[in-house]
């Protein structure tokens, strides 16, 4: 049994979910251009690139270069998401201080 037939449906579901989340993130950034939405859009962009690299590595090319690239993109993706959370919390805290 090939690797494509055993993991075809989970890969399709993963691709659809990542596409939906990236679309929501990008539309949120376009409608409200601020630093928080920038970090979120950048994080989801890295997630899309990571899924693309995984698909290329899993189904088309088994080159060794994709593994370190995927690890680097994974780390950068999580760092940008971390920056998004920090910025969102900073704005939330400053708004709560202003309302008091």
């Amino acid at each position: 049994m090939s690797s494509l037939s055993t993991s075809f449906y989970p890969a399709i579901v993963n691709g659809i979910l990542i596409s939906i989340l990236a679309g929501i993130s990008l539309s949120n950034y376009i409608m409200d251009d601020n630093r928080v939405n920038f970090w979120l859009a950048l994080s989801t962009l890295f997630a899309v690139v990571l899924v693309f690299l995984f698909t290329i590595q899993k189904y088309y090319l088994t080159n060794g270069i994709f593994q370190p690239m995927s690890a680097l993109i994974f780390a950068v993706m999580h760092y940008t998401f971390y920056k998004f959370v920090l910025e969102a919390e900073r704005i939330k805290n400053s708004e709560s201080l202003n309302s008091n």
Side-chain angles (χ1 to χ4, degrees), residues 9 11 19-20 22 42 46 48 70 81 85 87 89 94 100:
Y9 292 115
S19 298
I20 289 170
L42 196 60
F46 284 124
V48 168
S70 295
F81 187 75
V85 170
E87 285 290 323
E89 287 293 319
S94 68
N100 290 336

mmCIF file of all heavy atoms in Angstrom, residues 9 11 19-20 22 42 46 48 70 81 85 87 89 94 100:
data_model
loop_
_atom_site.group_PDB
_atom_site.id
_atom_site.type_symbol
_atom_site.label_atom_id
_atom_site.label_comp_id
_atom_site.label_asym_id
_atom_site.label_seq_id
_atom_site.Cartn_x
_atom_site.Cartn_y
_atom_site.Cartn_z
ATOM 1 N N TYR A 9 -6.753 11.105 2.603
ATOM 2 C CA TYR A 9 -7.842 11.876 3.197
ATOM 3 C C TYR A 9 -7.383 12.765 4.363
ATOM 4 O O TYR A 9 -7.808 13.921 4.442
ATOM 5 C CB TYR A 9 -8.988 10.960 3.618
ATOM 6 C CG TYR A 9 -9.673 10.344 2.413
ATOM 7 C CD1 TYR A 9 -9.627 8.979 2.186
ATOM 8 C CD2 TYR A 9 -10.351 11.142 1.499
ATOM 9 C CE1 TYR A 9 -10.238 8.427 1.069
ATOM 10 C CE2 TYR A 9 -10.956 10.605 0.386
ATOM 11 C CZ TYR A 9 -10.902 9.241 0.178
ATOM 12 O OH TYR A 9 -11.503 8.706 -0.923
ATOM 13 N N ALA A 11 -4.498 14.156 4.620
ATOM 14 C CA ALA A 11 -3.756 15.246 3.986
ATOM 15 C C ALA A 11 -4.712 16.254 3.355
ATOM 16 O O ALA A 11 -4.475 17.467 3.432
ATOM 17 C CB ALA A 11 -2.802 14.693 2.934
ATOM 18 N N SER A 19 -5.990 26.010 4.742
ATOM 19 C CA SER A 19 -6.436 27.019 3.777
ATOM 20 C C SER A 19 -7.517 27.916 4.370
ATOM 21 O O SER A 19 -7.509 29.135 4.165
ATOM 22 C CB SER A 19 -6.959 26.347 2.513
ATOM 23 O OG SER A 19 -5.951 25.618 1.882
ATOM 24 N N ILE A 20 -8.444 27.325 5.099
ATOM 25 C CA ILE A 20 -9.513 28.113 5.731
ATOM 26 C C ILE A 20 -8.931 29.058 6.773
ATOM 27 O O ILE A 20 -9.255 30.250 6.803
ATOM 28 C CB ILE A 20 -10.582 27.183 6.345
ATOM 29 C CG1 ILE A 20 -11.385 26.497 5.240
ATOM 30 C CG2 ILE A 20 -11.510 27.954 7.272
ATOM 31 C CD1 ILE A 20 -12.299 25.396 5.738
ATOM 32 N N ALA A 22 -5.866 30.182 6.976
ATOM 33 C CA ALA A 22 -5.054 31.207 6.320
ATOM 34 C C ALA A 22 -5.940 32.259 5.663
ATOM 35 O O ALA A 22 -5.626 33.450 5.702
ATOM 36 C CB ALA A 22 -4.140 30.563 5.283
ATOM 37 N N LEU A 42 1.366 36.435 9.168
ATOM 38 C CA LEU A 42 2.693 35.879 8.906
ATOM 39 C C LEU A 42 2.807 34.452 9.429
ATOM 40 O O LEU A 42 3.378 33.580 8.763
ATOM 41 C CB LEU A 42 3.753 36.781 9.546
ATOM 42 C CG LEU A 42 5.183 36.604 9.084
ATOM 43 C CD1 LEU A 42 5.310 36.856 7.597
ATOM 44 C CD2 LEU A 42 6.076 37.547 9.861
ATOM 45 N N PHE A 46 3.483 31.031 7.115
ATOM 46 C CA PHE A 46 4.485 29.994 7.369
ATOM 47 C C PHE A 46 3.849 28.614 7.514
ATOM 48 O O PHE A 46 4.431 27.615 7.103
ATOM 49 C CB PHE A 46 5.325 30.329 8.602
ATOM 50 C CG PHE A 46 6.356 31.391 8.361
ATOM 51 C CD1 PHE A 46 6.376 32.530 9.135
ATOM 52 C CD2 PHE A 46 7.301 31.258 7.368
ATOM 53 C CE1 PHE A 46 7.314 33.517 8.932
ATOM 54 C CE2 PHE A 46 8.250 32.232 7.144
ATOM 55 C CZ PHE A 46 8.258 33.377 7.923
ATOM 56 N N VAL A 48 1.170 27.575 5.927
ATOM 57 C CA VAL A 48 0.849 27.139 4.565
ATOM 58 C C VAL A 48 2.110 26.648 3.858
ATOM 59 O O VAL A 48 2.092 25.605 3.186
ATOM 60 C CB VAL A 48 0.167 28.282 3.782
ATOM 61 C CG1 VAL A 48 0.084 27.965 2.304
ATOM 62 C CG2 VAL A 48 -1.209 28.556 4.342
ATOM 63 N N SER A 70 11.938 22.428 6.789
ATOM 64 C CA SER A 70 10.670 22.289 7.496
ATOM 65 C C SER A 70 10.842 22.603 8.980
ATOM 66 O O SER A 70 9.976 23.256 9.574
ATOM 67 C CB SER A 70 10.120 20.872 7.336
ATOM 68 O OG SER A 70 9.793 20.616 5.992
ATOM 69 N N PHE A 81 3.747 33.209 15.804
ATOM 70 C CA PHE A 81 2.495 33.056 16.545
ATOM 71 C C PHE A 81 2.663 33.537 17.986
ATOM 72 O O PHE A 81 1.764 34.158 18.553
ATOM 73 C CB PHE A 81 2.009 31.604 16.520
ATOM 74 C CG PHE A 81 0.654 31.436 17.127
ATOM 75 C CD1 PHE A 81 -0.477 31.848 16.441
ATOM 76 C CD2 PHE A 81 0.496 30.881 18.383
ATOM 77 C CE1 PHE A 81 -1.739 31.715 16.993
ATOM 78 C CE2 PHE A 81 -0.756 30.746 18.947
ATOM 79 C CZ PHE A 81 -1.870 31.162 18.244
ATOM 80 N N VAL A 85 0.527 36.470 19.979
ATOM 81 C CA VAL A 85 -0.098 36.340 21.299
ATOM 82 C C VAL A 85 0.387 37.458 22.224
ATOM 83 O O VAL A 85 -0.417 38.067 22.949
ATOM 84 C CB VAL A 85 0.190 34.950 21.909
ATOM 85 C CG1 VAL A 85 -0.223 34.876 23.361
ATOM 86 C CG2 VAL A 85 -0.514 33.871 21.107
ATOM 87 N N GLU A 87 1.495 40.478 21.388
ATOM 88 C CA GLU A 87 0.914 41.753 20.950
ATOM 89 C C GLU A 87 -0.567 41.834 21.319
ATOM 90 O O GLU A 87 -1.052 42.877 21.759
ATOM 91 C CB GLU A 87 1.076 41.934 19.440
ATOM 92 C CG GLU A 87 2.465 42.282 19.014
ATOM 93 C CD GLU A 87 2.872 43.677 19.424
ATOM 94 O OE1 GLU A 87 2.037 44.596 19.395
ATOM 95 O OE2 GLU A 87 4.049 43.845 19.776
ATOM 96 N N GLU A 89 -2.093 40.304 23.791
ATOM 97 C CA GLU A 89 -2.194 40.484 25.239
ATOM 98 C C GLU A 89 -1.815 41.901 25.652
ATOM 99 O O GLU A 89 -2.423 42.475 26.551
ATOM 100 C CB GLU A 89 -1.296 39.481 25.970
ATOM 101 C CG GLU A 89 -1.827 38.070 25.947
ATOM 102 C CD GLU A 89 -3.099 37.934 26.741
ATOM 103 O OE1 GLU A 89 -3.201 38.520 27.839
ATOM 104 O OE2 GLU A 89 -4.009 37.233 26.257
ATOM 105 N N SER A 94 -3.630 46.993 27.769
ATOM 106 C CA SER A 94 -3.678 48.457 27.690
ATOM 107 C C SER A 94 -5.125 48.952 27.587
ATOM 108 O O SER A 94 -5.455 49.998 28.134
ATOM 109 C CB SER A 94 -2.840 48.963 26.517
ATOM 110 O OG SER A 94 -3.429 48.599 25.299
ATOM 111 N N ASN A 100 -10.410 51.478 33.084
ATOM 112 C CA ASN A 100 -10.532 51.648 34.545
ATOM 113 C C ASN A 100 -10.346 53.041 34.959
ATOM 114 O O ASN A 100 -10.302 54.024 34.879
ATOM 115 C CB ASN A 100 -9.523 50.787 35.297
ATOM 116 C CG ASN A 100 -9.879 49.319 35.192
ATOM 117 O OD1 ASN A 100 -11.036 48.982 34.972
ATOM 118 N ND2 ASN A 100 -8.894 48.488 35.323
#
